[in-house]
Amino acid sequence: MFDLYRRLRRRLRGREARADGGVVNEGDASEAGPIGRASAALDRRFGSDFVESSPFWLPPFLLMALFVYGAIIWNLLISLTDYQGFANAPDYSQLDFEMYTRALSDSGFIDAAVNTLVLLVAFTGITLAVGLLLAILVDRGIRFENGFRTVYLLPMSLSFVVTAQFWLWMYNYNNGIVNLSIGTFGLGPVNWLGNQDIVLWAVVFALMWQFSGYAMVVYLAGLRAIPSAHYEAAQVDGASALKMYWRVIIPQLKGATISAAVVLMVFGLKAFDFLYSLVGGYRPPNGADILATKMVREAYANLNWSYGAAIAIVLFLMALAVIGPYLVYEYRRDNL
Amino acid sequence: MSDARTGGNTTSRADRLVRAAEKLTVERVLLYVVLLGMASFYLIPIESGLVTSIKTSTAVIETVPFAPPGPSGFTLQKWQQAVDALLFGMGNSMLYAVPATILSAFIGSITAYGLTMPTWKQAYKAPLIALIVAGIFIPYQAVLVPLTQFWAQYVQLGQLLGPLWALGISNDYAGIIELVVTHVAYGIPICTLLFRTYYKTMSKEMIESARLEGATLRRVYRRIVFPLSGPMFAVVLIYQFTQIWNDLLFTLVLVSTESSPAAPVVLILAGLGTSLEGQDFALRMAGAFLAALPTLAVYIFFGDEFAEGVAA
């Protein structure tokens, strides 16, 4: 059986396997079998190692493409159906945009979309600013630099599920540290998670706590890449430290800012885990509902599958608006 | 002679002290005050969680959150409770996190190798790589409903693995296998990207000469590239393990209930310590630390590699 397979393979490939696992070409391509000829043609088109390298990247690529892009297209299809409730599978015979018009007339959806945008912009902006300040401070030739860096990065090693527990305790109305510390200034107490005008900012602050260390690491690498001559030139010109950073150093951190911002926005889009763990359920505190939580709630708690799928498509388009330009930017710089 | 040398040493030491004191300007002191202040900002939520987890319920209410408990307020009972509640879930998490981590690291390595080392046209490679990189950033909500459909309607592991359940294993464990496959599939983009950045800097000469001597791509990978990938494997394994261990969304969708025997630790933790009487914060904190223990251990032992992976 195995021998038959080997002979068949040899015929088809027009090649002979060597005992040590190497392969030698047998004669010209003209004498090779049909697959050999096809592979030679492919190699001519795509490059000399194309066919031989394909077993390495093609199966993983297909698996990834099925789960990522196949699923997104499938999701788009489901969002066009009326799939809901306990039915096993959607009915694909009738497709329309009903779910999208429903979303536009759903005030909960509009609120969630606005909250998502506010969360993304505020979280990314504040985290970048804190990270940059930290990076500038750490870069001033301090002692115990590694120690400080480790401490600043520590929250990032924790998961949203865990940090949500910590911040639930920090924001506790009667005994939380946040209320205790503003109490020493005669302020508060504030119901951080119960007041729907504040809760989103409380979440932004907690997320900033978790990821500003990451922004610092990226900025630190960016600062170290700037030649010291630039600092010296600015100092010779008599510029103050503040002016030097604003005019000379920060403009050169564009690349670091872009890559950190993209990653932070992706973390922001994944804030679902944090909000879910904060309340231990699908319904986040009033005023902190974002598209990610609304999508999962509609689909898995209310069984409005196709409505959830439609919200997911909106969320995906928002992510695409961030990542698309970034990928084009990286492609132009030949960084892919 | 020896006296003179000691004398010289003391003056230089004194010199150094003087110089250090001169450097210690007001600005310098302020810098360290700010740095230490920020360090406590990052540590206080964690520290207060830790001390709260070893307090009795009365001590939780009566003492300041970040102060350690007095001898009368100290108890390990909450940790005991957390271990009882979470230990099995941690076992379940290990069951999918370890195989999924190893598989996705290995697959990421061969994918990156196939897309980096062999010579074929960049014009065709670049779109493939762009598609893979874009896969890192998609919000997983966009694939959840199809994912549920895929596992519930098309690949019904619960039925395919019938013989396993006959052995007395709960068929909820089909969810664990689904989690492995799912995490591997969605882990391919980031693992490939990490390995690719590493392989791009690897010396091409050795590989080219091996190729000229007729070595196959498989042989080059096995003999040259794989043995040299050690450092990057460390980064990717750490990163993937943390990601998979911490992920809540997929476990919520694929395993669904925290009462299931196959429930992973994150799922149980999200609902731990909440009851009608209110929230048991000491228990929640103990549970949070227990669940974070594996990733914290990884962070403390491999902190530098973690920072490297984060920056990449």
Side-chain angles (χ1 to χ4, degrees), chain B:
Chain B
M1 182 81 178
S2 73
D3 269 348
R5 193 181 290 162
T6 6
N9 255 342
T10 29
T11 43
S12 76
R13 202 174 298 154
D15 266 0
R16 243 182 288 153
L17 261 175
V18 168
R19 243 179 282 140
E22 273 167 0
K23 263 205 274 177
L24 217 65
T25 53
V26 181
E27 195 188 324
R28 210 71 193 156
V29 172
L30 255 175
L31 175 66
Y32 281 103
V33 168
V34 172
L35 285 171
L36 284 172
M38 287 309 284
S40 59
F41 166 66
Y42 287 105
L43 285 178
I44 276 181
I46 302 173
E47 189 266 350
S48 86
L50 191 61
V51 292
T52 303
S53 75
I54 51 169
K55 286 178 186 175
T56 57
S57 299
T58 43
V60 167
I61 299 167
E62 282 165 2
T63 55
V64 194
F66 50 83
S72 61
F74 173 82
T75 176
L76 283 178
Q77 188 209 343
K78 302 293 176 185
W79 275 85
Q80 185 61 50
Q81 253 179 296
V83 169
D84 289 343
L86 294 180
L87 199 61
F88 207 73
M90 291 178 82
N92 286 334
S93 289
M94 281 288 174
L95 223 49
Y96 66 85
V98 171
T101 302
I102 294 169
L103 273 175
S104 50
F106 179 68
I107 293 177
S109 157
I110 59 168
T111 316
Y113 168 71
L115 288 172
T116 312
M117 305 286 188
T119 43
W120 49 289
K121 287 180 190 158
Q122 181 65 22
Y124 297 105
K125 259 186 211 173
L128 284 182
I129 293 163
L131 279 176
I132 291 179
V133 174
I136 299 170
F137 300 109
I138 63 141
Y140 290 141
Q141 269 80 5
V143 298
L144 278 190
V145 178
L147 196 67
T148 315
Q149 281 280 304
F150 178 78
W151 289 119
Q153 301 301 324
Y154 295 91
V155 185
Q156 293 168 320
L157 283 179
Q159 286 174 17
L160 289 174
L161 298 174
L164 260 181
W165 321 137
L167 288 175
I169 303 171
S170 160
N171 63 1
D172 282 13
Y173 278 94
I176 297 283
I177 300 168
E178 290 168 9
L179 277 174
V180 172
V181 178
T182 309
H183 276 301
V184 168
Y186 292 109
I188 287 173
I190 182 68
C191 295
T192 304
L193 185 72
L194 287 174
F195 274 110
R196 196 177 136 74
T197 51
Y198 185 68
Y199 289 158
K200 272 204 287 198
T201 61
M202 214 181 240
S203 144
K204 298 271 181 303
E205 286 154 28
M206 203 171 11
I207 292 154
E208 270 164 19
S209 66
R211 289 289 282 160
L212 282 178
E213 282 168 26
T216 57
L217 284 175
R218 224 179 90 199
R219 203 179 162 79
V220 170
Y221 179 76
R222 260 206 353 236
R223 294 287 162 82
I224 303 173
V225 176
F226 181 74
L228 288 174
S229 308
M232 205 57 204
F233 263 102
V235 172
V236 172
L237 287 173
I238 291 165
Y239 182 84
Q240 264 308 87
F241 181 76
T242 319
Q243 289 294 308
I244 296 174
W245 180 270
N246 288 339
D247 174 74
L248 176 70
L249 192 56
F250 286 141
T251 59
L252 196 64
V253 168
L254 297 178
V255 181
S256 74
T257 59
E258 60 192 69
S259 54
S260 156
V265 65
V266 278
L267 209 51
I268 307 174
L269 179 64
L272 188 73
T274 352
S275 65
L276 288 175
E277 297 97 64
Q279 285 163 331
D280 185 345
F281 278 105
L283 177 57
R284 279 195 162 222
M285 295 304 131
F289 272 99
L290 197 61
L293 222 51
T295 50
L296 272 180
V298 160
Y299 178 72
I300 289 162
F301 290 123
F302 307 100
D304 289 342
E305 280 92 346
F306 182 83
E308 200 179 314
V310 158

Side-chain angles (χ1 to χ4, degrees), chain A residues 234 238-245:
Chain A
S240 70
L242 200 68
K243 224 177 192 171
M244 175 183 79
Y245 275 109

Side-chain angles (χ1 to χ4, degrees), chain A residues 18 20-23 44-50 52-53 55-57 60-61 63-64 66-69 71-72 74-75 78 83 87-90 92 130 134 137-138 140-143 148-159 161-162 165-170 172 175-177 180 205 208-210 212-214 217-218 262-263 266-267 269-270 272-273 276-280 282 291-293 295-296 299-300 305 308-309 312 315-316 319 323 326-327 331 334-336, chain B residues 27-28 31-32 34-36 38-39 41-46 48-49 52 60-61 64-66 107 110-111 113-115 117-122 124 126-151 153-154 181-182 184-186 188-189 196 200 211 214-219 221 239 242-243 246-249 252-253 266-267 269-272 274 279 281 284-285 288-289 291-292 295-296 299 304 306-307 310-311:
Chain A
R18 271 194 337 226
D20 63 0
V23 171
R44 266 200 305 282
R45 181 98 178 77
F46 292 102
S48 59
D49 290 337
F50 179 78
E52 200 191 339
S53 73
F56 288 92
W57 55 265
F61 179 79
L63 178 71
M64 189 280 303
L66 172 75
F67 271 80
V68 175
Y69 299 104
I72 290 173
W74 192 358
N75 188 73
I78 292 175
Y83 180 35
N88 277 336
Y92 296 105
V130 173
L134 276 180
L137 292 181
V138 170
R140 296 188 70 93
I142 57 160
R143 300 191 66 180
F148 280 116
R149 221 180 48 190
T150 309
V151 168
Y152 296 161
L153 205 55
L154 183 63
M156 199 190 160
S157 71
L158 300 169
S159 72
V161 186
V162 170
Q165 311 300 325
F166 292 156
W167 282 96
L168 199 60
W169 182 221
M170 293 287 287
N172 184 266
N175 299 302
I177 289 183
L180 283 182
F205 188 78
M208 182 278 285
W209 170 81
Q210 194 169 354
S212 41
Y214 165 75
V217 169
V218 175
V262 168
V263 173
V266 174
F267 282 129
L269 287 169
K270 288 181 179 171
F272 168 85
D273 287 13
Y276 182 93
S277 321
L278 212 51
V279 291
Y282 289 111
L291 286 178
T293 50
M295 179 272 153
V296 178
Y300 292 88
W305 300 106
L315 190 61
F316 170 71
I323 303 145
Y326 170 70
L327 283 179
Y331 181 76
D334 237 6
N335 254 356
L336 283 180
Chain B
E27 195 188 324
R28 210 71 193 156
L31 175 66
Y32 281 103
V34 172
L35 285 171
L36 284 172
M38 287 309 284
F41 166 66
Y42 287 105
L43 285 178
I44 276 181
I46 302 173
S48 86
T52 303
V60 167
I61 299 167
V64 194
F66 50 83
I107 293 177
I110 59 168
T111 316
Y113 168 71
L115 288 172
M117 305 286 188
T119 43
W120 49 289
K121 287 180 190 158
Q122 181 65 22
Y124 297 105
L128 284 182
I129 293 163
L131 279 176
I132 291 179
V133 174
I136 299 170
F137 300 109
I138 63 141
Y140 290 141
Q141 269 80 5
V143 298
L144 278 190
V145 178
L147 196 67
T148 315
Q149 281 280 304
F150 178 78
W151 289 119
Q153 301 301 324
Y154 295 91
V181 178
T182 309
V184 168
Y186 292 109
I188 287 173
R196 196 177 136 74
K200 272 204 287 198
R211 289 289 282 160
T216 57
L217 284 175
R218 224 179 90 199
R219 203 179 162 79
Y221 179 76
Y239 182 84
T242 319
Q243 289 294 308
N246 288 339
D247 174 74
L248 176 70
L249 192 56
L252 196 64
V253 168
V266 278
L267 209 51
L269 179 64
L272 188 73
T274 352
Q279 285 163 331
F281 278 105
R284 279 195 162 222
M285 295 304 131
F289 272 99
T295 50
L296 272 180
Y299 178 72
D304 289 342
F306 182 83
V310 158

Side-chain angles (χ1 to χ4, degrees), chain A:
Chain A
M1 190 67 189
F2 185 67
D3 195 49
L4 182 75
Y5 165 76
R6 277 249 293 260
R7 249 187 297 158
L8 200 69
R9 205 174 101 157
R10 209 178 299 162
R11 276 269 299 279
L12 283 170
R13 284 223 168 162
R15 288 172 172 187
E16 190 175 353
R18 271 194 337 226
D20 63 0
V23 171
V24 280
N25 264 325
E26 197 184 63
D28 304 334
S30 58
E31 276 177 55
I35 288 190
R37 248 175 296 153
S39 93
L42 280 174
D43 277 348
R44 266 200 305 282
R45 181 98 178 77
F46 292 102
S48 59
D49 290 337
F50 179 78
V51 172
E52 200 191 339
S53 73
S54 58
F56 288 92
W57 55 265
L58 193 59
F61 179 79
L62 290 179
L63 178 71
M64 189 280 303
L66 172 75
F67 271 80
V68 175
Y69 299 104
I72 290 173
I73 293 164
W74 192 358
N75 188 73
L76 182 65
L77 260 180
I78 292 175
S79 77
L80 300 177
T81 67
D82 297 328
Y83 180 35
Q84 61 173 351
F86 292 100
N88 277 336
D91 169 19
Y92 296 105
S93 61
Q94 240 184 356
L95 301 180
D96 53 40
F97 286 95
E98 192 199 322
M99 291 303 151
Y100 293 91
T101 51
R102 175 175 163 186
L104 287 177
S105 57
D106 176 359
S107 67
F109 170 82
I110 306 285
D111 286 347
V114 171
N115 283 346
T116 307
L117 279 177
V118 171
L119 181 94
L120 280 186
V121 173
F123 161 65
T124 311
I126 295 171
T127 309
L128 285 178
V130 173
L132 178 61
L133 276 177
L134 276 180
I136 289 174
L137 292 181
V138 170
D139 195 38
R140 296 188 70 93
I142 57 160
R143 300 191 66 180
F144 312 115
E145 187 195 310
N146 279 342
F148 280 116
R149 221 180 48 190
T150 309
V151 168
Y152 296 161
L153 205 55
L154 183 63
M156 199 190 160
S157 71
L158 300 169
S159 72
F160 276 139
V161 186
V162 170
T163 56
Q165 311 300 325
F166 292 156
W167 282 96
L168 199 60
W169 182 221
M170 293 287 287
Y171 285 137
N172 184 266
Y173 185 75
N174 294 317
N175 299 302
I177 289 183
V178 180
N179 275 348
L180 283 182
S181 45
I182 63 167
T184 58
F185 298 106
L187 297 169
V190 177
N191 191 355
W192 296 102
L193 299 177
N195 185 335
Q196 55 175 320
D197 297 325
I198 306 178
V199 57
L200 195 64
W201 297 99
V203 170
V204 167
F205 188 78
L207 295 182
M208 182 278 285
W209 170 81
Q210 194 169 354
F211 292 111
S212 41
Y214 165 75
M216 178 210 65
V217 169
V218 175
Y219 273 130
L220 203 55
L223 284 173
R224 299 271 153 90
I226 297 174
S228 58
H230 292 207
Y231 291 88
E232 283 152 18
Q235 266 156 359
V236 167
D237 288 350
S240 70
L242 200 68
K243 224 177 192 171
M244 175 183 79
Y245 275 109
W246 189 251
R247 293 261 177 85
V248 183
I249 305 303
I250 292 178
Q252 297 195 48
L253 293 172
K254 193 177 147 207
T257 307
I258 289 174
S259 65
V262 168
V263 173
L264 287 175
M265 284 198 192
V266 174
F267 282 129
L269 287 169
K270 288 181 179 171
F272 168 85
D273 287 13
F274 186 84
L275 288 165
Y276 182 93
S277 321
L278 212 51
V279 291
Y282 289 111
R283 174 90 235 173
N286 264 340
D289 198 15
I290 58 173
L291 286 178
T293 50
K294 187 171 171 61
M295 179 272 153
V296 178
R297 190 172 64 248
E298 289 292 350
Y300 292 88
N302 303 341
L303 302 182
N304 292 325
W305 300 106
S306 54
Y307 188 38
I311 298 172
I313 289 293
V314 175
L315 190 61
F316 170 71
L317 291 177
M318 280 172 97
L320 201 63
V322 175
I323 303 145
Y326 170 70
L327 283 179
V328 171
Y329 170 79
E330 291 283 289
Y331 181 76
R332 292 241 176 89
R333 288 173 67 215
D334 237 6
N335 254 356
L336 283 180

